[in-house]
Amino acid sequence: MPSGGSQQRDAMGIIGRLAGTGVIAGVLVALIAFSTVGVAGIGARNGANWFEDIPGDLRTPPVAQRSVILAADGSKLATFYYENRLDVPLDKVAPVMRKAILAIEDSRFYEHGGLDFKATVRALASNLAAGQVTQGGSGITQQYIKNLLVETADTDAERQEARAETPARKLRELRYAVAIEKQLTKDQILDRYLNIAYFGSGAYGIEAASRHYFGKPATQLSLADAALLAGIVRYPYAYDPTVNPGLATQRRNTVLDRMRELGWIPAATASAAQRAPLNLHVKSTPNGCVESSAPFFCDYVEREILDDSAFGATAKQRQQLLQQGGLTIRTTLDPRMQQAAQRAVDHYVPPKNSSHKAAAEALVEPGTGQIKAIAVDRKLGPSEQRGKTWVNFAADSDHGTSIGMQAGSTFKIFTLAAALDQGMAFGHRLMAPDHYTPTGFRDCDGRSVNSNESLGNAGDGEGGRTFSLVTGTWHSVNTFFLRLEKQVGLCDTVKMAEKLGMRRADGSALQQYPSFTLGFNTVSPVRLAAAYAAFAARGEYCKPIVLTKITDTAGHELKVPNAGCHQAIDKGVADAVNHVLQGVLTKGTAAGMGIGRPAAGKTGTVDGFSSAWFAGYTPDLASAVWVGDPRGGYRYPLRDVCLGGSCYGEVFGADIPAPIWRQTMLGALEDVPEHDFHSPPSDYYSEGSGEDRVQVPDVLGLSPSEAASRLTAAGFDVSFGPRVDSDTYAKGTVARTSPGAGASVEPGETVTIYVSKGAKKGPKPPIVVPPPGGPSFPPVPTPPGGPPVGRTPDGL
């Protein structure tokens, strides 16, 4: 290795050669003179050529920029960044800002090459006097290179090396600076420098800094504003005006003095700017979804990108793309619908309710799969803080860490659809017993999956009655649907649900047991809403999606997931389901929850009141609402709770979820034109409408056997009640029926016969005989003009 004296002689030789080519290398000499490594093998003869050669590892990729998530109308939902930076071209930076940064950092920038000889000589003198590298004489180009090396470092060690005050680092920077000056124009270098520089307080680049400190774009910076920002970059932490306003002001005034000395601004102008207050209007840029207007929708979007290999082969690459890629992410969210949903869930289940209950809702557009809103009655944040949670109750586990909730009777719709798909008519009837023990069930692998558990109904009086597909659905009769599932086949019911995109919230396949139709599988509102949206779209199923378009900083589009819309079930089947479910809102378990336009839906109440659901839709929008307890529904059921100003002994799907759905839909569809469902195929009326009502025949006075025969012939089941007293009908004949003669009831209803046991024994009441001439009335005076209205003899 050459001695120190030899190094200096070689260094001076390099100076001569570089100076002769017009490339100034004073700083290089200073570094070589005090370096004991890095120059071995580089002599005066070939040093200049080595220095001027463009380094093979030189790369100038775009620097990290923040990504933004936008709603469908272009409004901002959230920003993601590793460094808060927003690139802007040089013509979008106020000219006074360009002058200010050049005045204080590199006033001869447009005159020298990659190295400023005068500045370098000053640095060299300082370094020689100190015996070490104390100054680098860095100009704008060298500062850009330093920042670029830090930005493009892949590891912490590389970043530390890029910041280290060592001769080797300075040597590399200088070589890169010379190379960059050959590749880019001065304006291009200044552009990149202003966009990469750190301006303190988390603001990277001039645009982010201008918006952060002054709340305005860089095009609108005043002289005083520009001088303040230009003064920060040398020591961002010391001159941060939000931390050290006094030092920042002094530094600003130094910049103004320098601009005056250079003759770039008049003295009077400089003095006026120095007297001006800082006029800060600090605006922080939220990072992530926490402060978003739609935090759980935003969280869904974030997880969509971070978990999809289409956006990067590894989790780290996807994270870098989101936080550093400068993406513009356009989504499906409709702000008006989001606001309607959020207001509804917060009204009925307040975020900080004393019973700790929660609610979640998802809105999906039929025919597109676009998720229009996701609302949770919580803020996004740590669950240790009341009213907050990181868990997105509306989404599957891969989009919000929720394991899902049991769906309850909302799953009966798949059994109904399977029955209609097999050609069963609306009037197809089954007797619903009080309790039903499932036997003879097999899953899709042909395995027996019977149960010894006796399953009952939720409502009193439902057992022992006959229901049609229509009325059984309206009243959500458990034993009716268990018998219907047995008739349809468990596997066909499961396959129907799978065709419509249903899976468990943890991503696994639906479990297959007889109580499938009662909704024991744990699912998410998003996925359930998408399934119901398929019925609204006449059988066309679309995967739920949130992304419509993603572009990078260069305007290139990234491929986003497709909804994969396809005809999952026959249109006629979907039309028939829609016909039946419309009655739920008028005559069924959710009667009174209509929204003034064609709509359909289904309530869901989970066993033990562990949670409650409502899923409903119009031809334009589908929604699913869940209400329950995040701590565990069976341990903390929906019993004896007060929410939203009302108290409930037991919460059914019609009590809270349905009103949330109704309020949401009224707001969300306010400006959406009304559309009607299609009529179902006529074949489904082959056994009547399923809601036909017939009159009970008059069998009073007949013998019990004759009366039973007539009632049976009319389609009714017959039962006998206790014998009753009757003064009208002879002993042993029918004295009355329930329902009574002439009553309009559904076919298959049970009519109870009460047989007379004769007149009640005891004294008979006296017979009152009117006096001769008929009954008498008190005289009524006749006013002028005739008798009073209504008191004439004929009117009495």
Side-chain angles (χ1 to χ4, degrees):
M1 180 173 290
S3 66
S6 175
Q7 279 188 329
Q8 283 189 317
R9 286 192 298 273
D10 286 346
M12 295 308 294
I14 294 176
I15 262 192
R17 291 177 179 276
L18 293 178
T21 64
V23 180
I24 308 304
V27 174
L28 172 62
V29 175
L31 292 171
I32 294 175
F34 292 101
S35 175
T36 57
V37 296
V39 294
I42 303 176
R45 182 175 56 83
N46 59 5
N49 293 334
W50 168 83
F51 187 82
E52 284 196 295
D53 288 341
I54 295 177
D57 61 344
L58 176 63
R59 56 193 179 101
T60 59
V63 294
Q65 293 190 57
R66 67 192 192 192
S67 296
V68 61
I69 297 178
L70 305 177
D73 65 354
S75 58
K76 186 167 70 174
L77 296 178
T79 305
F80 287 85
Y81 56 84
Y82 173 71
E83 294 174 350
N84 180 23
R85 179 184 285 108
L86 187 63
D87 257 16
V88 291
L90 194 59
D91 61 7
K92 295 296 184 182
V93 179
V96 71
M97 181 66 226
R98 296 177 235 166
K99 288 184 178 180
I101 198 71
L102 291 174
I104 197 65
E105 292 297 328
D106 193 350
S107 62
R108 299 181 61 254
F109 172 68
Y110 281 94
E111 301 169 18
H112 63 71
L115 309 179
D116 184 350
F117 179 73
K118 292 182 179 179
T120 300
V121 168
R122 289 195 303 269
L124 175 59
S126 175
N127 293 341
L128 288 171
Q132 58 183 331
V133 178
T134 61
Q135 289 188 26
S138 298
I140 291 293
T141 305
Q142 291 165 253
Q143 290 184 46
Y144 165 64
I145 289 296
K146 178 180 179 180
N147 286 326
L148 183 65
L149 292 175
V150 173
E151 288 290 330
T152 57
D154 293 324
T155 65
D156 290 338
E158 289 179 357
R159 278 185 285 274
Q160 185 175 358
E161 180 184 356
R163 294 189 179 102
E165 290 294 334
T166 63
R169 192 265 293 175
K170 277 293 181 182
L171 180 60
R172 182 170 63 154
E173 283 180 14
L174 293 173
R175 289 194 71 207
Y176 284 172
V178 171
I180 284 292
E181 290 271 354
K182 293 179 179 180
Q183 293 183 348
L184 304 175
T185 67
K186 287 289 188 177
D187 280 353
Q188 288 174 326
I189 294 172
L190 182 59
D191 178 308
R192 296 190 180 199
Y193 171 75
L194 285 170
N195 280 303
I196 201 173
Y198 180 55
F199 289 86
S201 197
Y204 290 81
I206 188 61
E207 183 71 9
S210 181
R211 292 176 183 270
H212 174 68
Y213 290 114
F214 303 111
K216 58 187 176 183
T219 54
Q220 299 176 14
L221 289 169
S222 68
L223 172 61
D225 299 337
L228 177 71
L229 295 181
I232 293 175
V233 295
R234 179 61 61 89
Y235 300 112
Y237 301 101
Y239 297 136
D240 182 343
T242 64
V243 178
N244 299 309
L247 285 177
T249 301
Q250 292 177 23
R251 178 65 174 170
R252 177 199 68 177
N253 294 344
T254 299
V255 175
L256 292 168
D257 282 337
R258 179 60 177 159
M259 296 177 74
R260 176 184 53 77
E261 291 171 2
L262 293 168
W264 292 0
I265 58 173
T269 302
S271 297
Q274 288 175 333
R275 292 193 300 269
L278 293 182
N279 287 325
L280 297 179
H281 297 283
V282 178
K283 291 187 177 181
S284 297
T285 300
N287 189 1
C289 296
V290 171
E291 297 183 44
S292 172
S293 59
F296 290 93
F297 180 92
C298 173
D299 183 68
Y300 193 103
V301 173
E302 179 183 5
R303 293 173 188 274
E304 177 80 4
I305 294 173
L306 295 182
D307 294 338
D308 191 335
S309 59
F311 300 108
T314 66
K316 181 179 179 181
Q317 290 175 344
R318 297 189 289 271
Q319 186 79 44
Q320 289 176 337
L321 177 66
L322 179 62
Q323 292 189 325
Q324 304 178 35
L327 305 179
T328 298
I329 304 165
R330 298 186 180 276
T331 71
T332 60
L333 182 126
D334 184 314
R336 179 171 45 84
M337 293 183 178
Q338 175 67 33
Q339 185 179 56
Q342 196 65 57
R343 285 179 175 176
V345 298
D346 288 349
H347 173 75
Y348 285 96
V349 187
K352 296 182 180 181
N353 65 84
S354 58
S355 61
H356 304 285
K357 300 301 182 275
E361 182 176 20
L363 276 61
V364 175
E365 184 177 64
T368 68
Q370 292 189 5
I371 300 176
K372 292 299 182 180
I374 293 177
V376 176
D377 75 320
R378 294 284 193 275
K379 300 293 185 182
L380 190 63
S383 56
E384 293 79 12
Q385 298 179 22
R386 188 179 177 190
K388 294 184 177 182
T389 182
W390 290 118
V391 180
N392 188 345
F393 301 125
D396 285 356
S397 60
D398 59 354
H399 284 85
T401 69
S402 171
I403 60 172
M405 295 72 69
Q406 288 186 327
S409 295
T410 60
F411 253 46
K412 290 173 180 173
I413 190 175
F414 303 120
T415 307
L416 170 66
L420 293 168
D421 189 50
Q422 292 181 8
M424 294 185 191
F426 293 140
H428 182 78
R429 297 177 182 276
L430 291 171
M431 193 276 290
D434 283 322
H435 290 83
Y436 183 80
T437 302
T439 58
F441 285 78
R442 293 187 178 276
D443 64 15
C444 290
D445 291 327
R447 295 173 300 193
S448 176
V449 288
N450 298 322
S451 172
N452 294 324
E453 182 183 5
S454 180
L455 304 172
N457 296 310
D460 295 332
E462 293 176 345
R465 295 172 55 187
T466 299
F467 295 90
S468 67
L469 290 186
V470 173
T471 57
T473 303
W474 287 356
H475 302 299
S476 195
V477 184
N478 289 346
T479 57
F480 170 85
F481 271 94
L482 286 165
R483 290 197 64 195
L484 182 63
E485 182 184 53
K486 171 72 174 298
Q487 197 169 55
V488 169
L490 172 60
C491 183
D492 282 0
T493 298
V494 172
K495 286 182 177 179
M496 177 59 69
E498 291 176 340
K499 286 179 183 178
L500 298 171
M502 292 311 304
R503 69 181 187 198
R504 292 174 65 86
D506 62 6
S508 62
L510 296 168
Q511 295 181 6
Q512 303 177 32
Y513 296 101
S515 54
F516 180 92
T517 191
L518 304 184
F520 74 86
N521 276 286
T522 55
V523 300
S524 70
V526 164
R527 196 160 291 278
L528 191 65
Y532 273 65
F535 292 110
R538 304 191 70 197
E540 184 181 17
Y541 174 74
C542 304
K543 291 187 299 182
I545 59 170
V546 289
L547 303 175
T548 57
K549 184 179 181 181
I550 299 180
T551 54
D552 61 18
T553 54
H556 301 135
E557 286 193 33
L558 279 65
K559 187 177 180 180
V560 299
N562 187 280
C565 299
H566 63 281
Q567 197 69 36
I569 61 174
D570 185 76
K571 290 182 178 180
V573 172
D575 293 338
V577 170
N578 299 337
H579 170 76
V580 174
L581 292 192
Q582 287 181 79
V584 173
L585 294 169
T586 57
K587 304 173 184 178
T589 53
M593 288 293 117
I595 57 175
R597 64 168 69 199
K602 183 70 187 71
T603 55
T605 306
V606 181
D607 181 46
F609 298 96
S610 61
S611 63
W613 291 77
F614 187 83
Y617 55 95
T618 72
D620 303 292
L621 187 64
S623 164
V625 180
W626 164 84
V627 175
D629 198 309
R631 299 170 298 175
Y634 285 103
R635 185 178 179 185
Y636 301 98
L638 292 171
R639 284 195 176 103
D640 301 321
V641 296
C642 294
L643 293 167
S646 299
C647 295
Y648 309 86
E650 297 169 331
V651 176
F652 290 85
D655 293 328
I656 299 179
I660 290 175
W661 174 86
R662 183 177 185 274
Q663 181 176 320
T664 296
M665 298 295 274
L666 288 172
L669 296 173
E670 185 176 2
D671 297 325
V672 178
E674 179 180 313
H675 296 96
D676 204 348
F677 294 106
H678 288 74
S679 298
S682 59
D683 292 352
Y684 289 112
Y685 292 96
S686 61
E687 297 180 47
S689 68
E691 55 180 301
D692 295 338
R693 304 180 75 85
V694 295
Q695 289 188 336
V696 175
D698 186 352
V699 295
L700 301 181
L702 300 180
S703 68
S705 59
E706 186 178 1
S709 178
R710 288 194 182 184
L711 290 169
T712 301
F716 297 101
D717 291 335
V718 176
S719 67
F720 288 89
R723 290 177 173 262
V724 296
D725 296 323
S726 175
D727 294 330
T728 306
Y729 298 101
K731 181 179 180 180
T733 63
V734 177
R736 62 185 176 91
T737 60
S738 178
S744 179
V745 297
E746 294 179 20
E749 286 278 9
T750 298
V751 177
T752 303
I753 294 175
Y754 297 89
V755 178
S756 171
K757 59 181 180 181
K760 187 176 181 180
K761 295 181 180 181
K764 294 181 179 180
I767 299 175
V768 179
V769 179
S776 61
F777 299 94
V780 178
T782 302
V789 177
R791 293 302 299 272
T792 62
D794 288 341
L796 291 170

